[in-house]
Amino acid sequence: MSDNPIPDDSEVLTWVNVGLAFSFILLDVCTSGIFGLGIGSSLLTAAVRCVLQLSAVALLLQRVFETADPWAVASIAFLLNFLGTFETVINKSKRRHQYMFPSVLIGMLGSTIPISVLGTRFAMSVDPFWTPMQYIPILGMLCGSTISGIVVSVSYVLKELQENRDKVEVYLAFGATRMEACKPVARDALILALTPVINQMSVLGIIAIPGMMTGAILGGSSVQRAAKLQMIIMFMISASTTLASICTTFFAIGVVVDAEHRVRPDRVDEQKHIVWRTREWLVNRAIYRVKGGFFFLRALVGRNNIQRGPSAEGLMSLPHRV
């Protein structure tokens, strides 16, 4: 696959077009208000985040595409996996176990990087494989799908080991190892994690035209080539999701069920992540200080009015006794 020149379509789509499309979000917000769904602010926040994040990524990737530096591509690859880990552990997971952040990061790096390298180099015939315009978008799609698989599998494992720990403890009491006792839980978790990928592959082409194929067609590729690219991408997504889900699932089991074959619910945290607890504390402190400053200013103004006393015009207007 030869290197393609970087297209400049800034004259085709402007911020006016983006603003017109934003009206669809406003329609969703109005619907939320009419039916009392209570998600209007979340929709607006997500839309604003989408605009800011994509704008920043566009500026960054434009520089990377122009330089075509392999170290820059490697840095972007690590950054995508790191941010995906952050999103998985801090934003998406309601339950977290000890050492979850490094385990998820290792699982994502160990699945997305090798699958993207092998798939780009051999399945897509890109040489060198790190060509920015091909490698980075593919890696981004793998990271996005892998996050969903990890969240589903790990959340299910932690939920089962907390709410149905008696079933696992029965196996452990009869001499089973922790992996033998947790095998049914791990199997169900992996089935749940891979079901969306299976469903997505089963409806492609007949019911839904996927985003990768649509983007390739809009970019000028032939329909046949776009379809083949989409097949390759879907097979890579399935492999990446499988590897990451297996890695993080068994790591979660190894942490929550210790080496002495005991279920350790104390190693599972259901509170908000410390990042959000720290943010709430800082926000509350800021609100407290603002309120304190407001009351102080109001008290200071009132004290000055008392010390100043009635004005001369006020004294002249008072009635005089005869």
Side-chain angles (χ1 to χ4, degrees), residues 4-14 58 62 65-66 133 219:
N4 297 324
I6 300 174
D8 184 10
D9 55 357
S10 58
E11 297 181 358
V12 178
L13 292 177
T14 64
Q62 185 69 24
F65 289 172
E66 292 173 352
M133 289 193 66

Side-chain angles (χ1 to χ4, degrees), residues 115 141-142 145-146 197 200 230 232-242:
I115 296 299
M141 286 186 285
L142 295 184
S145 299
T146 302
V197 178
Q200 188 177 4
Q230 185 62 55
I232 295 171
I233 293 298
M234 286 307 304
F235 299 154
M236 293 168 64
I237 286 175
S238 64
S240 178
T241 304
T242 301

Side-chain angles (χ1 to χ4, degrees), residues 33-312:
I34 292 172
F35 291 98
L37 303 180
I39 59 173
S41 59
S42 300
L43 284 169
L44 287 175
T45 302
V48 172
R49 281 188 59 184
C50 176
V51 172
L52 295 178
Q53 291 168 179
L54 288 178
S55 301
V57 168
L59 293 174
L60 179 62
L61 292 184
Q62 185 69 24
R63 297 290 183 87
V64 175
F65 289 172
E66 292 173 352
T67 57
D69 183 6
W71 291 108
V73 175
S75 301
I76 293 294
F78 180 80
L79 179 63
L80 289 175
N81 281 277
F82 183 83
L83 294 177
T85 303
F86 185 90
E87 184 73 14
T88 301
V89 177
I90 296 178
N91 289 339
K92 300 295 184 183
S93 300
K94 294 182 179 180
R95 292 182 175 89
R96 291 168 297 276
H97 61 78
Q98 292 181 358
Y99 315 112
M100 185 172 176
F101 195 95
S103 70
V104 173
L105 182 60
I106 292 172
M108 290 195 65
L109 288 172
S111 60
T112 59
I113 298 298
I115 296 299
S116 61
V117 170
L118 294 174
T120 305
R121 176 63 186 89
F122 298 104
M124 298 180 63
S125 300
V126 177
D127 188 20
F129 72 87
W130 49 265
T131 303
M133 289 193 66
Q134 282 82 29
Y135 183 76
I136 293 177
I138 290 171
L139 183 65
M141 286 186 285
L142 295 184
C143 289
S145 299
T146 302
I147 287 173
S148 301
I150 292 175
V151 170
V152 171
S153 60
V154 175
S155 298
Y156 181 82
V157 168
L158 298 181
K159 175 178 175 294
E160 287 296 308
L161 292 179
Q162 270 202 315
E163 298 180 358
N164 297 316
R165 55 179 294 190
D166 53 336
K167 297 179 182 178
V168 177
E169 289 176 339
V170 168
Y171 285 107
L172 296 173
F174 280 96
T177 64
R178 53 180 172 177
M179 291 303 171
E180 292 173 344
C182 296
K183 184 178 178 180
V185 177
R187 183 182 63 247
D188 293 341
L190 294 176
I191 291 174
L192 288 174
L194 297 178
T195 297
V197 178
I198 297 172
N199 293 337
Q200 188 177 4
M201 284 192 293
S202 64
V203 301
L204 286 183
I206 298 177
I207 301 174
I209 297 179
M212 177 66 184
M213 184 175 176
T214 304
I217 294 173
L218 293 176
S221 297
S222 65
V223 178
Q224 292 294 329
R225 183 174 181 274
K228 293 173 183 176
L229 283 175
Q230 185 62 55
M231 297 174 198
I232 295 171
I233 293 298
M234 286 307 304
F235 299 154
M236 293 168 64
I237 286 175
S238 64
S240 178
T241 304
T242 301
L243 288 178
S245 299
I246 290 174
C247 178
T248 53
T249 295
F250 283 101
F251 197 97
I253 291 174
V255 170
V256 181
V257 184
D258 61 16
E260 301 297 328
H261 308 289
R262 298 172 300 180
V263 179
R264 299 289 300 275
D266 57 294
R267 294 183 176 180
V268 180
D269 185 13
E270 294 188 70
Q271 298 181 355
K272 288 184 177 180
H273 197 273
I274 182 109
V275 171
W276 302 123
R277 296 203 300 267
T278 304
R279 188 191 68 169
E280 291 180 358
W281 181 81
L282 292 175
V283 170
N284 291 333
R285 291 291 298 176
I287 294 175
Y288 174 78
R289 289 184 178 275
V290 169
K291 288 183 177 179
F294 172 75
F295 287 124
F296 175 77
L297 290 175
R298 192 170 69 173
L300 184 62
V301 171
R303 187 176 62 182
N304 291 337
N305 290 335
I306 293 174
Q307 291 177 353
R308 202 178 298 137
S311 61

